[in-house]
Every structure is written in structure tokens, then in C-alpha cells.
Amino acid sequence: MAAADQFETHEYDVIVIGAGGAGLRAAIEASAQGARTALICKSLLGKAHTVMAEGGIAAALGNVWPEDNWKVHWRDTMRGGKMLNNWRMAQIHAQEAPDRVLELEEWGALFDRTKDGLILQRDFGGHRYARLAHVGDRTGLEMIRTLQQHAVHKGIDVFMECTMQRLLKDGDRISGAFGYWRESGRFVLFKSKAVVLATGGIGKAWRVTTNSWEYTGDGTAMALDAGADLIDMEMVQFHPTGMVWPPSVRGILVTEGVRGDGGTLKNSDGVRFMFNYITPYFAAETADNEQEADAWYADKKNNRRTPDLLPRDEVARAINSEVKAGRGSPHGGVFLDIATRRDPDYIRRRLPSMYHQFRELAGVDITKELMEIGPTCHYVMGGVRVDADTTASTVPGLFAAGEVAGGMHGANRLGGNSLSDLLVFGRRAGLHAAEYANALAAAPRVDDGEVEAAARTMLSPFERAGGENPYAVHGDLQDCMQALVCLIRVEPEMQQALEKIAALNERLQHVTVEGNRQYNPGWHLAMDLHSMLTVAEVTTRSALERKESRGGHTRDDYPDPDPKFGAVNVVTRKRQGQLTICQEPLPAIPDELKPILEEK
Amino acid sequence: MTAGSEFTMRVWRGDASGGAFQDFRMDVGEGMVVLDVIHRIQAEAAHDLAVRWNCKAGKCGSCSAEVNGKPRLMCMTRMDIFEPGETITIAPVKTFPLIKDLVTNVSFNYEKAKEVPAFKPKAKEADGTRRMYQEEVDRVQEFHKCIECFLCQDVCHVIRDHPENKPAFAGPRLFVRYAALEMHPLDTNDRLGLLKQRAGLGYCNITKCCTEVCPEGIHITDNAIIPLKERVVTEFNDPVVWLLRTVTGRKRKTADGAGS
Amino acid sequence: MATEAARAGQGRSGPRTERRDLWWVLPLTVVIVFSAFIIYTTWAALQDANYYRQPYLSPYYSPCLATHCVHTTIGIFGSWWALSPAILILAFPGGLRLTCYYYRKSYYRSFWLAPPACGVMDARKGYSGETRFPLVWQAIHRWFFWASLVVIAFLWWDVIEAFQFHDGFGIGLGTVIMFANVILLSLYSLSCHSCRYLVGGYLDRFFKAPVRYHMWRVVSRLNARHATYAWISLFSVALTDLYIRLVASGTLHDVRFF
């Protein structure tokens, strides 16, 4: 019996997997291009991780600082990424971000306003000018709701709580995807000319993370399994400010906007320690005394930026060092202080959800008390290797946008560049996927054997009697990655991690789930574990390969950046079930752009 | 509450065909919320316990349930509001059809959202910008805080106790959405007729339970529903407005509030 | 996924409520207090006596519109009007409160039991809300609001008169009570949702209408306390009448401060 008869089957020109900012924007664009488009997501529509983004959307609108333009934004992005970025992606991003933000306004978004009635922009780490279009500290919610409602009004077919497990291929090109309905556990087959991956990140492989259960690296693992290249998977961003107490909220994000709006980091001695961690790379543009740093908020022309707003990798490492030196807070973090620096009304107006979050979850009034914060796994800069202009992966018909794609952010992502990345490359992914699909004469064929094999694998946890608990395997993976492949890395620990991951892979073969296929989280987790173990292994192997410290990747055994590694991507491929890791040169920055990077 | 207190969690287990409460004795540590305890039950005692969640920080609105009969987000309900040893009832939201355990079919809300006429902005200004001012967007930004947890829809007795009203009633979440669009400084669409008829604004008897349960603190009744009711009154139920219109020959007011 | 059956379907069945707190205390209190108020007010309005003792006029009888009033404000109704003059006027403040958004919430919950409390099942099987006659005419609230402004203007006039004792200017306990009462009644009327809408809430663009914007802001702030004003002014108006009634009947002697 053919797979199409056996399983619920849908046919589309373009399917978009993931309905966060990038997926929604891609689906809107593909649909606008006339492609029959489906949007598929693991959760309910509008619950994707984009909703958690707080600070804002980086775009050189120039509403607050007319001096700002795409070139400055490009420079900031490249420097923040320690020059490991795909320069062309960073250029497209800086050039197109303002249009994408204005487009949101066209669709009903309501950003905070300047006195002149334009979109207000706020300061963020690594951005030379106040650049982030925002809505208080819930910008992601505004963005996802606007896109969601626009997509609904455009009549795009949405498949909610539907998880894709395998990409299908006809020869070397994409022919669809196969997965299951979470509600019923029934399998569902999508035949499609093109697939856009917009599945987000991999953070659920760590214990302390800002990421939700969805962030299991499905897209990354599916792309790898389908033969696509991954790049720079060692580049994982640890956000410097996550909650640390009480234990159950450890890792929950505290927006960089707290520092953008005047908050400062202090150690247990009450010292603003960031002044001791200004690296030579940023010394020329960073204030070296408190007076200048505080004056900078109001007068950016005559003062240099506060070191509290250095790029996230710098700040996370500084916090880590302070804690290690014994100057941490009672629960193993440091203090973030806005209470003594801004008046309560200002704090409540600018940071309402932070106020709410600390009051409700930690019993802390941030207008009166210090926050306790520490680094938390937040974002992966690496991902599916894509063409800068089209977002096409190395597999024909497979496109990727947003966090699942690599290259745009280099070795470290600046705050605010993620939301704009989603919009800019989400749109491009939808556009080029639709063009690709429209140009394809005949629909690719789905291989029944491939589908049936996938179905059998997915059902196996019900059938075996290994007795392994999927939650325990997941917990052990998180502990392994947290302990061994975290903010500061060293070869012996990572080797140990690889052994543990291999053992966990072995245990995965014995995972058993109870109950039936209807809405069974244990079964869902058992299936997600394949992706998580895959990305954990790739991250660790890539981190071993890159023998230097750069951005999100810090090696205790190679503490300095190495120009040799600064010129290459670490590329991962899977061939005949085997991972291969190699170094390939970065795309060269054209000479006419180079002078911009040197501007002070 | 001290760390390590023990509680009895009385959790609904079952699906559309039926079910019952099942008790779990659970140790609870400092700072834990109800969702943490549910996760612990899932990992240790009932691997297939169905529950929705995403952000665990009150921002995504996935983990709605009824805790001791009150609609709440499980991730924002701290265990230290209960007495140690207490039995805590965790049930799925009541207004929507049950799928399994704590998960319900909330497609009602998504279907109703499709019926809302889209945002339709007026033309740009001469300089190519769209100017809006903070005092204008403040009011609508409150409505945009909605995280779509649908607790307001759950608690609203119009559909909770009278499911036959579902086809004719959009519910508080959607009224907040209508209000956001109707009061948007740039919107030109008119939804008042729809609100009166198909969205069933008149079914609301402003008993304010939606406002009471809103985890975002949106003043659903005072700031969204009642102003909409007042706008509908002006359009359809105000004899003096009707008389004035008849005498002066003026048309219905436009969506930006001018005229009349 | 989203079948019609699923949309119209009912959720899990269960008891009337799974709440274990004292949810019934509030609706019960409301029933007792409102009933006591209505009984007292009806009795006071029908008494047609003891509502004036110079210089105090009970708010239940103001403005007094019949010529046979002990203290006629405007003699519109001639000697043919044989009933209590309170009946002529109480319909207006009564109507304001009856159609008020806050009182509607209170009596729908406490008297109608629709719903008695949040998460507690409605007492009745059917429900049509405010979609049909007569409840659809709760919309008349805004006209009661306008009328209440006229009544309140008279009550302010009464307060001014309450400083005019037969021996000239003075302040008594009654003056203070009447003064406090009229402030509370004014706050109650001006904080109402209709007022909030009429002064500026109907606008979408505030930038071009700064005066209406500021009026809307002020009324919005008052509106947040509308329920509080509704309760306090309910007590104050009844107690004002009671005080004047006791003084007029000679049970109490008014205290003169000045």
C-alpha cells in the first residue's frame, strides 16, 4: 500500500515548518507569491519562542539618531559577531530591516513612539546608536501577534500541534516532510516542492536555558539527516542575564533592556565590575569610568558606551569570572541593579514584564531590590548553511530562516538582531521557496519506503521493553551539556561529553513509553531526543574542532582568538550515517565594504 | 512554606470518553510553581500526562488550567500560596472540549479570530510616514498585551455554562481584539455592526470574571468591552443620535471617531 | 482539527464549581445591603414627611417639584399631585444606578446568579444576556447620566442653602453631611463609564483633541474607582436622608459648629 493511502496526506507547493517570526513571515511571503502554502508548528499558533523576545527589533530607522544607517548597523553586527558572520547576510539584514519593521506597522503593530509620533528606538548591547524598535519589554509578543493575525487574514493553512520528524527527498531534492499530530498521535505526510525550515534553536539540550520545550533542534537535525551542511554549531550564545533564584525559574530570561534602560551589573562588593572586563577590541568605544558611562545614556556624541552593554559573550564571561572569583551573589549569580538608578515609575513603564516576572516568580520588587542574574543558554548562532540572498540550503528545495540558519550572526549575536533576522530572512525564504516551487515543472516523488521506515522508527518506543525513561535521558543530556559543553570549554571535558552522548544514544535505543499515541508527551520527548542528541554531538564536535576562543565559543585551553580560525566556518555533514567535520573558508568581504569596519 | 513540603496534587486524568481525578503525593521545593510540580509528576510518575506549556514565565499563555476551581496559568501559580499538606485540584479548562488530561481543544478561539475584519490602515502622510503618538497608542497597547491564554474565554459564563451560545458569541479575548482594532489610531475598518450581531457583544453582562482572571491584568471589561458597548449604543441604540442624524442628514461616524 | 462539533462542544462535565473558597460571601453581602437600601429608600420616599428642616433638604426629595412640598424647589406639579414628591425625582438617580455598568455587574451576579461568582455555574439554564428587550435598553444609561447631572446641580444648590440658617450663615453637622454626600454623588456620576465615553472615549486619535484627551484621562482615573464610589455614595445618600429625617422629626438635635 502506498504511503499516501496509508497516512493522512497533504499536497502543497511550499511548507513552512515552524511558526515563530521567521516561519510566519516566510508563509506570508510564499502565499503572497501565489504558492500553495502550509504553516506547520509544534505548539498552538502564536506560542512560538518569538513571543519571549523582549527588548526589540534592531533596524537602522534613524528615528532617534539620524546618524544611524545600514552601514553602521552592518559594522556593529560584524564586530559583535567577531567577523565570523557571512558578510552578505549581515548586509542584507542591515539594509532590509527598516522596511520589515515599517511593514509590521502597516499590519497593525503598535511600537512605542517618539515625541514626533515615529517609532521609538532603545539602546542595546553592541549597537552604536539607540536602534531597537520596541513595545515596552514585550516586543516579541507584538511581532508574533501581528504576523499571526496577518497570516490568518490571508487565509494561510495552519497545522497546529503537528510535529515534523523527517524531511523526504526525491533523489537529491526535497519532496516533503513526515510527522505526526500531537493531539491524536496519527502520522501525517506533506508532499511539497519546497520546505522552509524555521524551527528555531537547540537550547533544550542544556539545563539552564531561556528556551522552551520546543527548542530541541528538530530543524537542525532534520536538515543534517537530509544531507544539508551545518556551520559553526559550536557558536552557542549564553545570555548574561537569566534568573538564578528560585531554582525552578533558573534560566528564565531577564531582558538586556534592563541595562539598555540604565541597569548596571554589580558584584557582591557592590562594584560595577564590567569596567574591569573591557577587551582591547572594544576599548576605543567603551567608557572606562562610571561618570562617562552614566552620561552616555543621554549624550552619545560626547561619551562612550557603558561596558554593561558590551556584546553578550563579553558580559557572560565577565559574570562567570566574578562568580568564580568568589564575588557572586548568594545563589551563584551576580546582581543587576536598576532600583537605585531609575525611579520606580520609569522602571514599571519601561520594563513592565520584568517587574511582573520578578514579583510573581521570585518575590523580588525590582524597583526596590537588586535582581540576581547569571548566564543562561539562549541562542545558537550556528545552523543550517544557507545562501545569503536566497536562504537556500545545500539541499535543493530546502530553505532555512531564523535561528535554525547559520552565518548571519557569526560568533555572537547582538541583542535585537534576532527579531530583525526573522523578518528579513523569513521573507526571503518564503519568496525564494515560492520561486523555486513555481519553477519546478513536476512535483517530486515521495518514496514510500522512506516514509514507512520513518513511521516504524517513530513507533518503536511503544514496542520495545527497554524500560528507559525518556525524561531521565533528557535530564542526563542537559546535565552533561551544562557541565561539559557550556560557557567555558576545554578538550578533556568535551571528549568526556562525547562519550556520554554516545552512551545516551545507546540508552535512547531502549527508551520505552507508556500509554497510547494520543497526546503523549513522553512519546513526543522520546522522538525529540534524537534531534537533541544529534545537535549536542554536532555542537561538541564543532567546539573541539575550533581551537580558539571567539564570541560564543570560549576555550580555556585556547584562550585567544586565532586569525586562522577567524577565516573559516566549521562545517558539519552527515554522509552514510557518519558525521564529518571540516573547516571551509568564509566568504570574503568585498574591498569597498572593508573601510566601514574600521570606522570608530 | 518551607522547602520540601509535601502536597497532594489531585490531577484530572482522562479524555473525551471520560476520566477522573488521580492523586499524586509530591515533594515541593522552594519557589516552585504548579507547573513545576506537574512536570515532576510527568517525569516521575505519569510519563504520558498531557499538558501544554512553553515559556514557563507567563508570556506565552499555554499552561491554562483550573487550580482549585479557579482559572489560572500554572506557571504563574506559586505553590507557597497553599498550605503544606493541602490537596490541590488541577483540572483542564472547562469551557473547551477535552482532548486529554489537562489539554483541551481551543480551536474555538482560532476560528473566532478568523471572523475579525483585518486591520486596514489609512493612507500614509505626505512625508511617507505614519505618525501616531504615545497617548494614542497607550490605550491600544494594553490590549496588545494579551497572551491568548484564553482564561477569559474559559471563565466567561456566556459560553462556559451555555455552550449553545458559542456560535453567536466571540468572547472576551476577541472583544479585546475588536477593541484594539476599533481604537487603533490608523484603522479605517468598521466592525460595530458585526460586534452587535455576529460577535454577540450584547451577550456580555459585564460581570467581569474575564478581568478577574486575566494574568496580564488587562482591564477587559472596563477598557475594552464597555467602551465597545458604548460605541455600539451610539451607532444603534441612541434615540438622540438617531434623531440628530435624521434632522441633519449626517452619516454614521467614521472609524477615527470624527463626526456625529 | 477544528470541526464544528468541536467548536460547539462542551468541555469536561463536573460539579457546579470546584472552588473551595468562600465565594458566596460577596454575592450574599450584596443582596443584603442592596435589599436594605431599597427597603429603606422606598419607605423614606413614601413617607412624604420629615424631609425638610431648615436649612436641610433630604436628597430623596430634591429637587422638590410639587407645590405642596414643605420646601418647594420648583413648583411644576400643582396641588393635583397627591403622592409623595420623592416619586417625581427618584426615578432619575434610581435609573442611573439601575443601568449603571457596576450595579449591573453586582445584581446580575448576586440577584440573577448569572454567574454567582467566577467559575460557579449560572443558576438558570437559558441565557440571552443583554441582547433582548428589556435588557437591551440598559443602553439608556447615558441619558440617565445626563439627567443625574441636573439632579446633582440641584443637590449642590441645596448644599449652598444648607449654610443659610434662620439666623444667617452657619455650619451644622447636616451641612457637612450634605456636602460630603454631594461630593460622593458627583464622583459617582462623573466616574461612570458613559461619562468616560462621552467626554473623549469615543475618539481614536487623541493627539488632535488635547482637551477631550485630558478630560478622558481624568474621568478614566475616576472610573477605576467607580465601584468604590457606587458603594460609598449609596451609604452616604441614605445616611444623609436618615440624618435629616431624624432631625426633622425631632429625634435628634442638629449640631451647630458655627
Side-chain angles (χ1 to χ4, degrees):
Chain A
M1 193 163 54
D5 306 322
Q6 201 178 340
F7 305 117
E8 176 186 343
T9 303
H10 301 274
E11 280 186 55
Y12 285 96
D13 294 328
V14 177
I15 61 168
V16 179
I17 305 176
L24 278 161
R25 189 63 191 82
I28 288 167
E29 195 63 26
S31 168
Q33 297 301 322
R36 290 171 304 148
T37 307
L39 182 60
I40 306 166
C41 49
K42 271 168 104 172
S43 284
L44 297 173
L45 186 62
K47 309 296 182 193
H49 214 71
T50 303
V51 98
M52 290 287 286
E54 289 158 357
I57 312 174
L61 292 159
N63 289 349
V64 177
W65 294 90
E67 295 90 333
D68 199 12
N69 59 49
W70 76 261
K71 290 176 182 164
V72 189
H73 191 183
W74 179 74
R75 168 197 170 278
D76 292 345
T77 302
M78 294 294 293
R79 283 176 66 85
K82 304 298 183 316
M83 309 300 280
L84 202 66
N85 318 56
N86 178 317
W87 68 269
R88 176 64 184 152
M89 287 180 89
Q91 184 189 30
I92 291 171
H93 167 256
Q95 287 173 330
E96 295 185 356
D99 285 346
R100 297 287 81 77
V101 171
L102 293 172
E103 186 175 73
L104 287 182
E105 195 165 72
E106 194 86 356
W107 296 344
L110 282 172
F111 295 100
D112 287 351
R113 316 305 296 180
T114 65
K115 287 219 162 19
D116 298 332
L118 299 173
I119 294 173
L120 182 62
Q121 298 177 274
R122 75 148 50 112
D123 282 311
F124 238 56
H127 292 282
R128 167 167 248 180
Y129 298 110
R131 186 179 281 149
L132 270 68
H134 62 277
V135 188
D137 54 4
R138 48 163 200 88
T139 315
L141 174 64
E142 184 78 9
M143 181 165 131
I144 200 165
R145 210 59 89 223
T146 305
L147 291 170
Q148 171 189 344
Q149 284 156 357
H150 193 73
V152 166
H153 292 315
K154 293 291 169 196
I156 294 168
D157 292 345
V158 183
F159 295 78
M160 289 186 228
E161 301 204 300
C162 186
T163 308
M164 290 298 103
Q165 281 283 306
R166 293 280 191 288
L167 294 176
L168 306 172
K169 281 166 76 182
D170 177 6
D172 65 347
R173 62 178 62 239
I174 284 292
S175 61
F178 183 66
Y180 60 94
W181 288 109
R182 284 161 56 78
E183 176 179 334
S184 61
R186 287 182 191 285
F187 294 125
V188 54
L189 171 64
F190 289 89
K191 293 181 167 181
S192 172
K193 294 175 180 170
V195 172
V196 176
L197 288 178
T199 51
I202 62 170
K204 215 53 195 166
W206 281 263
R207 175 67 75 186
V208 179
T209 175
T210 63
N211 293 183
S212 79
W213 70 269
E214 290 191 288
Y215 263 39
T216 51
D218 301 1
T220 319
M222 279 195 287
L224 184 73
D225 290 343
D229 291 0
L230 306 181
I231 56 167
D232 298 336
M233 285 298 292
E234 71 282 10
M235 293 302 175
V236 177
Q237 179 171 77
F238 288 81
H239 195 290
T241 58
M243 294 175 78
V244 297
W245 191 258
S248 65
V249 301
R250 189 164 195 138
I252 293 178
L253 181 64
V254 179
T255 177
E256 194 165 325
V258 176
R259 285 169 287 143
D261 288 339
T264 187
L265 293 164
K266 289 179 176 171
N267 62 21
S268 57
D269 302 331
V271 173
R272 292 169 64 176
F273 58 83
M274 281 309 298
F275 290 99
N276 306 330
Y277 294 92
I278 304 167
T279 48
Y281 193 71
F282 292 105
E285 57 197 79
T286 308
D288 54 11
N289 61 81
E290 297 190 5
Q291 198 181 3
E292 183 178 354
D294 290 346
W296 168 83
Y297 285 101
D299 177 5
K300 293 188 173 48
K301 282 211 180 91
N302 299 312
N303 298 287
R304 290 170 299 172
R305 151 186 310 280
T306 170
D308 284 306
L309 285 173
L310 279 168
R312 288 174 176 173
D313 53 331
E314 312 276 346
V315 182
R317 273 193 301 272
I319 292 170
N320 193 61
S321 303
E322 286 296 306
V323 174
K324 277 202 168 151
R327 294 188 292 269
S329 67
H331 302 106
V334 295
F335 296 108
L336 176 58
D337 173 19
I338 193 157
T340 67
R341 295 174 53 83
R342 295 288 184 270
D343 68 72
D345 280 347
Y346 178 87
I347 297 169
R348 276 192 291 266
R349 183 162 44 85
R350 298 286 297 174
L351 303 162
S353 67
M354 283 304 104
Y355 175 74
H356 184 70
Q357 178 176 315
F358 271 91
R359 198 191 50 194
E360 296 294 323
L361 294 176
V364 168
D365 180 351
I366 66 167
T367 67
K368 297 195 185 80
E369 299 164 77
L370 306 183
M371 290 167 256
E372 255 190 280
I373 56 88
T376 170
C377 182
H378 186 51
Y379 189 88
V380 58
M381 276 70 72
V384 178
R385 180 187 236 173
V386 291
D387 175 73
D389 288 82
T390 65
T391 78
S393 76
T394 50
V395 174
L398 182 63
F399 299 78
E403 191 174 350
V404 70
M408 159 69 209
H409 303 288
N412 174 54
R413 176 174 70 78
L414 295 185
N417 270 1
S418 178
L419 292 186
S420 41
D421 169 16
L422 304 182
L423 294 170
V424 168
F425 292 104
R427 174 183 155 276
R428 280 182 169 259
L431 177 68
H432 293 286
E435 277 181 4
Y436 168 89
N438 291 341
L440 216 57
R445 208 179 44 84
V446 166
D447 179 350
D448 291 341
E450 202 182 354
V451 174
E452 282 155 18
R456 274 195 303 278
T457 311
M458 287 157 72
L459 286 178
S460 57
F462 285 110
E463 285 147 14
R464 58 190 165 218
E468 193 68 67
N469 173 354
Y471 297 92
V473 174
H474 182 213
D476 290 348
L477 172 68
Q478 290 183 310
D479 289 339
C480 163
M481 295 304 281
Q482 190 71 36
L484 304 172
V485 196
C486 203
L487 187 60
I488 312 290
R489 301 158 179 180
V490 55
E491 174 148 354
E493 290 187 354
M494 288 192 283
Q495 294 290 4
Q496 207 187 329
L498 283 179
E499 286 165 26
K500 288 198 175 192
I501 292 167
L504 289 168
N505 259 314
E506 181 55 33
R507 281 169 68 188
L508 177 59
Q509 305 311 313
H510 304 288
V511 160
T512 310
V513 295
E514 59 189 43
N516 59 27
R517 284 165 70 177
Q518 190 189 21
Y519 217 111
N520 187 335
W523 181 42
H524 302 163
L525 178 61
M527 289 186 279
D528 288 343
L529 277 171
H530 165 73
S531 313
M532 276 189 277
L533 285 166
T534 305
V535 295
E537 181 175 352
V538 173
T539 300
T540 312
R541 285 189 188 279
S542 304
L544 278 164
E545 180 75 12
R546 187 176 285 279
K547 295 181 172 59
E548 64 158 352
S549 291
R550 181 179 298 273
H553 174 66
T554 306
R555 293 275 304 251
D556 231 6
D557 39 1
Y558 299 95
D560 298 312
D562 179 343
K564 185 166 71 77
F565 279 104
V568 297
N569 290 128
V570 172
V571 180
T572 312
R573 298 193 178 89
K574 197 174 196 178
R575 296 287 182 266
Q576 281 85 45
Q578 293 300 312
L579 287 183
T580 64
I581 307 268
C582 64
Q583 299 168 23
E584 292 182 13
L586 283 171
I589 301 173
D591 290 337
E592 67 267 24
L593 290 179
K594 280 180 180 160
I596 301 172
L597 292 170
E598 302 311 317
E599 280 167 20
K600 288 285 177 266
Chain B
M1 190 193 80
T2 53
S5 316
E6 211 181 45
F7 288 86
T8 301
M9 306 298 284
R10 182 161 290 171
V11 184
W12 178 265
R13 301 297 310 272
D15 56 25
S17 61
F21 284 101
Q22 186 181 345
D23 285 1
F24 298 90
R25 300 280 302 163
M26 297 306 294
D27 255 346
V28 170
E30 182 174 355
M32 278 174 81
V33 293
V34 169
L35 184 61
D36 291 318
V37 187
I38 294 292
H39 280 159
R40 188 169 276 185
I41 293 172
Q42 214 180 34
E44 295 172 5
H47 299 336
D48 62 340
L49 172 63
V51 57
R52 277 198 188 103
W53 71 283
N54 282 57
C55 76
K56 218 174 102 50
K59 292 194 173 71
C60 76
S62 299
C63 60
S64 304
E66 299 188 2
V67 180
N68 284 348
K70 286 187 186 169
R72 307 186 71 124
L73 291 179
M74 287 188 281
C75 72
M76 297 305 276
T77 306
R78 286 172 63 132
M79 289 299 293
D80 57 12
I81 64 172
F82 305 109
E83 290 298 321
E86 196 178 324
T87 298
I88 299 159
T89 310
I90 318 283
V93 296
K94 193 178 171 213
T95 302
F96 303 117
L98 191 64
I99 292 175
K100 186 181 155 193
D101 302 340
L102 301 178
V103 175
T104 56
N105 181 342
V106 294
S107 58
F108 169 81
N109 306 290
Y110 289 95
E111 294 300 314
K112 291 291 178 184
K114 290 181 187 165
E115 294 170 5
V116 182
F119 174 66
K120 200 168 111 195
K122 63 174 80 170
K124 285 184 180 169
E125 298 189 24
D127 63 355
T129 62
R130 297 191 180 281
R131 285 180 198 266
M132 290 178 269
Y133 297 86
Q134 194 61 46
E135 62 264 38
E136 298 171 332
V137 304
D138 271 342
R139 174 167 59 162
V140 184
Q141 281 182 340
E142 180 190 8
F143 306 141
H144 284 206
K145 286 190 335 197
C146 171
I147 57 174
E148 297 202 328
C149 63
F150 307 127
L151 288 176
C152 56
Q153 305 283 78
D154 173 44
V155 81
C156 180
H157 69 120
V158 178
I159 47 179
R160 183 186 177 92
D161 301 335
H162 310 280
E164 69 278 9
N165 287 332
K166 280 183 179 175
F169 184 70
R173 159 58 189 131
L174 272 299
F175 293 144
V176 166
R177 169 115 175 86
Y178 278 98
L181 287 162
E182 280 297 300
M183 297 176 198
H184 193 298
L186 299 181
D187 182 62
T188 59
N189 247 342
D190 183 350
R191 302 165 188 82
L192 293 179
L194 183 69
L195 267 169
K196 181 170 183 280
Q197 299 301 329
R198 239 173 105 196
L201 188 65
Y203 280 94
C204 170
N205 69 348
I206 50 171
T207 35
K208 272 194 161 179
C209 287
C210 50
T211 306
E212 278 184 29
V213 301
C214 179
E216 284 293 301
I218 301 171
H219 296 89
I220 301 174
T221 316
D222 289 323
N223 290 353
I225 295 179
I226 293 175
L228 285 177
K229 280 194 176 236
E230 285 290 315
R231 286 179 184 216
V232 168
V233 170
T234 302
E235 282 313 297
F236 302 102
N237 296 65
D238 190 325
V240 179
V241 172
W242 176 80
L243 195 69
L244 276 174
R245 274 202 200 123
T246 311
V247 173
T248 61
R250 272 219 233 161
K251 288 269 180 270
R252 286 183 54 184
K253 80 177 172 68
T254 54
D256 69 350
S260 176
Chain C
M1 253 256 309
T3 59
E4 278 304 310
R7 281 183 53 191
Q10 173 64 303
R12 173 181 57 93
S13 57
R16 298 194 78 82
T17 183
E18 274 151 5
R19 283 181 67 164
R20 283 181 271 162
D21 55 340
L22 303 177
W23 56 264
W24 45 267
V25 171
L26 184 62
L28 185 66
T29 311
V30 169
V31 166
I32 291 168
V33 174
F34 284 10
S35 302
F37 176 81
I38 290 166
I39 290 164
Y40 172 78
T41 302
T42 310
W43 171 76
L46 293 178
Q47 215 190 23
D48 199 6
N50 297 329
Y51 57 82
Y52 184 75
R53 166 74 183 266
Q54 205 204 2
Y56 307 143
L57 175 62
S58 161
Y60 283 179
Y61 288 78
S62 174
C64 215
L65 301 180
T67 47
H68 78 251
C69 283
V70 181
H71 180 82
T72 304
T73 315
I74 306 171
I76 298 173
F77 292 81
S79 53
W80 53 269
W81 180 266
L83 298 172
S84 164
I87 293 168
L88 292 171
I89 198 64
L90 277 182
F92 296 101
L96 180 73
R97 285 181 193 253
L98 194 68
T99 59
C100 157
Y101 286 98
Y102 170 71
Y103 281 101
R104 272 146 77 181
K105 171 205 162 183
S106 284
Y107 62 73
Y108 286 142
R109 278 199 189 189
S110 306
F111 289 83
W112 250 257
L113 305 177
C118 302
V120 181
M121 200 188 270
D122 281 12
R124 285 172 187 74
K125 233 182 155 44
Y127 175 83
S128 60
E130 297 183 339
T131 57
R132 299 187 201 148
F133 183 82
L135 293 183
V136 72
W137 283 105
Q138 299 275 28
I140 206 79
H141 185 54
R142 65 174 62 169
W143 298 102
F144 279 117
F145 163 71
W146 291 124
S148 81
L149 291 188
V150 176
V151 173
I152 282 173
F154 280 107
L155 294 183
W156 277 101
W157 177 248
D158 294 340
V159 170
I160 293 168
E161 287 200 326
F163 288 100
Q164 316 291 326
F165 288 79
H166 48 76
D167 54 354
F169 180 81
I171 298 173
L173 181 56
T175 320
V176 175
I177 288 174
M178 285 174 70
F179 195 35
N181 178 48
V182 76
I183 288 173
L184 290 168
L185 288 175
S186 303
L187 283 172
Y188 168 66
S189 281
L190 292 174
S191 66
C192 95
H193 294 82
S194 286
C195 175
R196 186 179 182 217
Y197 170 79
L198 293 164
V199 299
Y202 62 93
L203 290 168
D204 291 340
R205 301 230 64 169
F206 288 129
F207 185 70
K208 294 170 186 159
V211 175
R212 280 174 286 177
Y213 170 64
H214 283 289
M215 289 200 297
W216 176 79
R217 288 254 300 190
V218 169
V219 174
S220 293
R221 234 170 280 154
L222 292 177
N223 180 258
R225 266 170 253 140
H226 191 49
T228 313
Y229 297 140
W231 275 92
I232 305 179
S233 63
L234 189 74
F235 283 108
S236 77
V237 74
L239 289 175
T240 307
D241 176 81
L242 179 67
Y243 181 78
I244 294 169
R245 191 163 300 283
L246 292 175
V247 171
S249 64
T251 316
L252 277 182
H253 279 289
D254 185 35
V255 184
R256 270 291 284 275
F257 299 121
F258 182 76

